[in-house]
Amino acid sequence: LRAPPPDFSTPPSERAPLSSRSSLLFAFRWSGCGARLPLLYFFDRGFAAVSPSPPSRLLCLIPLTPRVAIPCPTPRARAAALGYIASPPRGAGVRTALLVVSRVGPVADSRLPMRIITLLLVALNASDAMRLAPHRLKSGGGRLMALRGGRRGGGSSGLLSDYSAIEWAGEDVGEGFPATGRDARHVKTHLDNYKLLDFSPLLNTASYVNVVAEREEEEVALSGLKVNIADQTIYPGSFKLHNDALNMLGDLWHLPKSASFDEYGCHAGACTVGSTEACLLAGLALKFRWRKWYAARHGLSESEVRSVYPNLVISTMYQACWEKLFKYMDIEPHFVSPKVGEMVLRPEDVRAAVDDKTIGVVCILGNHYSGHYDPVASVGEVLGELNRANGWQVGIHVDAASGGFVMPFQPEEEVGLCDFRVPAVLSMSASGHKFGVSMCGTGWVLWRDRDDLSEHIAISVSYLGGKADSYTLNFSRPASGSAVQMYKFLRLGRDGYTKLCASQM
């Protein structure tokens, strides 16, 4: 107590040297003191932890060189002291030694008691510190452990664990790139604070995203984060899982095997980042298919046909992804407005909206306003008549973002034919993270065939060590979505999804 304490009212850069950063922590966990916590005494040559019950026993003594005393009679002073140790001035170099005393008599000077649960002290020399640990304290039953960052305690830099005591805890970190790294636990706490004003995910029904997951499901999702599903040659097992999930979905939607199925072992399709990417891919395939047909029909070169503005027929009940398609991909929307009280696409209105520049018609299964299904079979019959009469090849894309994992588990007599059993349906898409109850960011798209459909958007990649086709707009992406979707397929099965659908309806 004879040494003057550091002045914590001054900036860190102006304080006297105390210690330097290290990748190690000393953590003292006490047992044998009962319900009463040990007392901590600060002396001019170090710290001492003393048992609370008489006769007082010196449990541990940590002398520091040079001498330092940090009186901390209040929580505020304690926080300032911890902050000082965590952020010392540059250039400080102090060695730490340790002396464990098994038993001594009563400690006379008790002017500065403090009850603590854990004492964290920065260890300055990693090699010395590791030689000192672990030691069993015979008196008081304490145990000393040297914790390396990233092991016990979860820290990667070994700074102190009291988040409020760290000087940067109140800083605005959104204005510039951080100059130094920080402890993992503190970073986690800081990120958690961002979410304090977020709405409760369990009460959110507006964004159509599943937020409930079992522990095993979360483990599957975490394992998928380490797999780049775009690299099929390095992760063949994960890609087979992806393809198996595609085939299961094709079975739900009654997709017949194409001529290329045996060659690839799966249907033409992909797991996407939600149904938005799935719809964009399906729209692009329809556009390129139409462009090839239109150029041959009118004798146009590739550059000439690019100047022709195609259109897509869709109900005004569409979701936002289609507006992106119109804006990003140079496609004109031909909107059809449903009648009040019907809320679906009327086949005769489709007949009036289609022409030879139409790349396709979108039928929505479960629109975002009323949940109605467009009459896919009836629209397909109208398109069949128009195609035969005019020599066109207009087909249907079924946007089943909401209904793709509901319709297959409903009675057919109630919903009709809404999938690949309708000959005019060329592609279907769905959100796995909606009623497919997969994790956020999971979508699916399936095409009837590779020829003249998915082949128009497939990119062959060979520079990763093998040959693989990429169907997605982005390339590298984690395997979590397809893995969690497969988990739900196997976890629920057709029976489970049917019961889930009945409960939701």
Side-chain angles (χ1 to χ4, degrees), residues 3 11 73 105 128 188 205 222 246 291 310 325 343 345 360 371 432 454:
D128 290 347
K188 174 64 165 52
T205 58
L222 289 175
L246 269 181
R291 179 183 288 172
L325 180 77
M343 310 295 281
L345 199 63
S454 65

Side-chain angles (χ1 to χ4, degrees), residues 115-137:
R115 300 188 181 279
I116 64 168
I117 297 177
T118 304
L119 163 66
L120 294 178
L121 173 65
V122 174
L124 308 168
N125 187 302
S127 59
D128 290 347
M130 291 306 294
R131 283 199 297 270
L132 293 171
H135 289 281
R136 174 73 60 179
L137 300 183

Side-chain angles (χ1 to χ4, degrees), residues 23 65 116 123 130 136 200 211 213 216 227 252 257 292 309 334 339 357 400 411 499-500:
S23 62
T65 304
I116 64 168
M130 291 306 294
R136 174 73 60 179
S200 171
V211 296
E216 294 82 0
V227 175
L252 278 183
K257 292 182 179 180
K292 178 182 177 182
Y309 196 26
H334 278 194
K339 288 187 175 181
K357 295 184 180 64
K499 293 177 180 178
L500 182 62

Side-chain angles (χ1 to χ4, degrees), residues 30-85:
W30 306 100
S31 60
C33 293
R36 303 185 63 189
L37 302 176
L39 305 179
L40 177 64
Y41 291 85
F42 295 89
F43 296 97
D44 61 341
R45 294 185 181 277
F47 306 108
V50 181
S51 65
S53 303
S56 298
R57 298 182 305 234
L58 182 62
L59 301 178
C60 187
L61 172 66
I62 305 97
L64 294 179
T65 304
R67 65 184 185 177
V68 61
I70 308 177
C72 300
T74 67
R76 185 173 182 179
R78 188 158 60 251
L82 293 174
Y84 185 88
I85 295 175

Side-chain angles (χ1 to χ4, degrees), residues 405 432-433 436 438 442 444 480-489 497:
F405 288 97
H433 58 226
S438 182
T442 306
W444 296 94
S480 299
S482 55
V484 173
Q485 189 73 80
M486 175 64 89
Y487 175 89
K488 283 300 179 65
F489 286 171
Y497 271 104

